[in-house]
Amino acid sequence: LGRMKPVIVVHGGAGRIFKEREERCLAGVVRAALQGYSVLKQGGSALDAVEEAVRSMEDDPHFNAGCGSVLNEKGEVEMDAIIMDGRNLDSGAVSAVKCIANPIKLARIVMEKTKHMLLTDHGAHLFAQTMGIPEIPGEKLITERSRERWKKNLEPDSNPEEFQKDLGTVGAVAIDSEGNVACATSTGGLSNKLIGRVGDTACIGSGGYADNHSGATSTTGHGESIMKVVLARLVHYHMEQGMSPEVAADTALDYMKTRVGGLGGVIVVNKAGEWAARFSTKQMSWATVKDDNLHYGIYAGEEHIKSVDEALASEREGF
């Protein structure tokens, strides 16, 4: 069929990215975008591409997803993830999962092997066992950085809100050569969150949304604010009204800011293959591949462009 030019967009989380981590965050989103794009180039589905891109970032300790996730009040990792198929609006999600390396893989299996859309905590754990998903010790997911932050936030005069700004939910959206769209989002949530807290990521329409009739969106930012305005679906609503991905994203983010004081970011691809990466926070690491060109940035208004070949070459040399 090969009608559409495939496009992938990824984000590594909106917020404040400390100087010393900027380069690693950019390297991580670039790597994820290139990996997702190679799936699309080989004729793979949007679904496979977004899962692959997000898996790549879950495995990267610089992001708050999979390995590198922040810790809850008890010092444990609890992760949320969602994936959605724009063809038939199928979705799978998991929340508060522990001891698995790639929540996004589990979300995909929930979508494909159950009649349900969201499994949580103990039930998700039992389902993962049934499906033969290997368990890993929780400690394996904990980085020095996450533990340090958790300790700091436990101090009586600490302000966890201050640290929340450096978050790093990860996500991807894609359109494949057949014009199907998909989204995927994964996170470790908020540092020092209450046990059992579920944020926007696992919630359809908040953490992500995909519909072939309009496009695909993945979000990042203050989860509770995102849930209040159902941010991903709001972006789609604006696209359905005829807005471009960029204007739809800005309009939705603007509403979230004025209405509930929430900051965040979104990545979008519409059914025509137009894309956007927009944020109301200080920064958001993002990368896109379209027409064999890689675009990436981290500050508002910043956009670097390289050919994919050039990017792959420097990828092999270590960015």
Side-chain angles (χ1 to χ4, degrees):
L1 282 165
R3 289 183 307 276
M4 282 297 308
K5 283 188 169 157
V7 182
I8 186 156
V9 193
V10 305
H11 71 73
R16 182 186 60 201
I17 299 159
F18 298 116
K19 267 281 180 260
E20 69 274 13
R21 293 187 48 240
E22 276 179 17
E23 207 167 300
R24 295 199 189 108
C25 284
L26 272 178
V29 289
V30 164
R31 183 179 310 119
L34 291 169
Q35 287 180 351
Y37 190 65
S38 82
V39 171
L40 295 170
K41 273 301 258 197
Q42 291 156 27
S45 67
L47 215 47
D48 288 342
V50 294
E51 182 186 356
E52 176 56 28
V54 165
R55 184 206 54 75
S56 160
M57 292 183 285
E58 284 177 341
D59 290 345
D60 184 330
H62 298 104
F63 298 108
N64 174 19
C67 175
S69 288
V70 298
L71 311 187
N72 67 11
E73 56 178 355
K74 259 180 63 183
E76 301 170 331
V77 164
E78 286 186 319
M79 301 166 292
D80 302 338
I82 193 168
I83 194 165
M84 186 166 181
D85 184 346
R87 284 178 308 183
N88 51 10
L89 307 189
D90 268 357
S91 180
V94 291
S95 73
V97 295
K98 302 182 180 87
C99 304
I100 63 163
N102 297 110
I104 200 64
K105 286 187 177 171
L106 188 56
R108 173 91 185 251
I109 297 170
V110 169
M111 175 172 82
E112 291 180 347
K113 303 279 189 223
T114 76
K115 291 191 174 75
H116 307 312
M117 282 170 78
L118 172 57
L119 292 181
T120 190
D121 200 353
H122 183 57
H125 174 74
L126 294 175
F127 176 68
Q129 280 181 328
T130 308
M131 288 291 150
I133 303 268
E135 255 178 73
I136 60 167
E139 298 76 68
K140 275 253 194 321
L141 297 170
I142 298 178
T143 58
E144 198 42 52
R145 193 167 70 93
S146 298
R147 184 166 272 126
E148 282 306 303
R149 167 182 302 180
W150 174 70
K151 279 198 194 122
K152 264 206 177 93
N153 286 341
L154 288 179
E155 291 165 11
D157 57 349
S158 84
N159 173 12
E161 289 301 304
E162 243 330 279
F163 288 98
Q164 296 311 357
K165 298 197 174 90
D166 182 30
L167 272 183
T169 295
V170 304
V173 295
I175 188 164
D176 59 31
S177 56
E178 293 185 6
N180 293 315
V181 298
C183 70
T185 314
S186 180
T187 191
L190 288 176
S191 188
N192 298 62
K193 62 189 176 179
L194 295 180
I195 290 165
R197 179 259 189 187
V198 177
D200 65 294
T201 299
C203 302
I204 189 171
S206 293
Y209 201 75
D211 181 348
N212 279 8
H213 294 168
S214 46
T217 302
S218 169
T219 68
T220 165
H222 184 244
E224 281 71 16
S225 298
I226 290 170
M227 290 159 95
K228 287 173 187 175
V229 302
V230 198
L231 185 62
R233 191 65 189 80
L234 185 57
V235 172
H236 281 249
Y237 166 76
H238 289 314
M239 291 199 293
E240 288 158 3
Q241 304 303 303
M243 288 184 190
S244 68
E246 188 160 308
V247 177
D250 286 347
T251 306
L253 285 167
D254 202 45
Y255 177 73
M256 183 167 83
K257 191 174 177 177
T258 52
R259 188 69 180 88
V260 297
L263 301 179
V266 293
I267 51 171
V268 193
V269 63
N270 71 6
K271 63 180 180 184
E274 301 167 319
W275 61 273
R278 309 293 293 171
F279 46 100
S280 52
T281 51
K282 197 172 160 210
Q283 290 149 287
M284 179 179 81
S285 56
W286 62 272
T288 306
V289 186
K290 181 179 181 172
D291 287 334
D292 286 320
N293 278 317
L294 165 76
H295 307 245
Y296 60 97
I298 204 162
Y299 287 96
E302 173 191 24
E303 186 174 332
H304 306 282
I305 305 177
K306 285 182 178 181
S307 76
V308 164
D309 292 341
E310 193 189 336
L312 286 169
S314 56
E315 181 71 14
R316 283 189 287 271
E317 288 152 27
F319 203 70

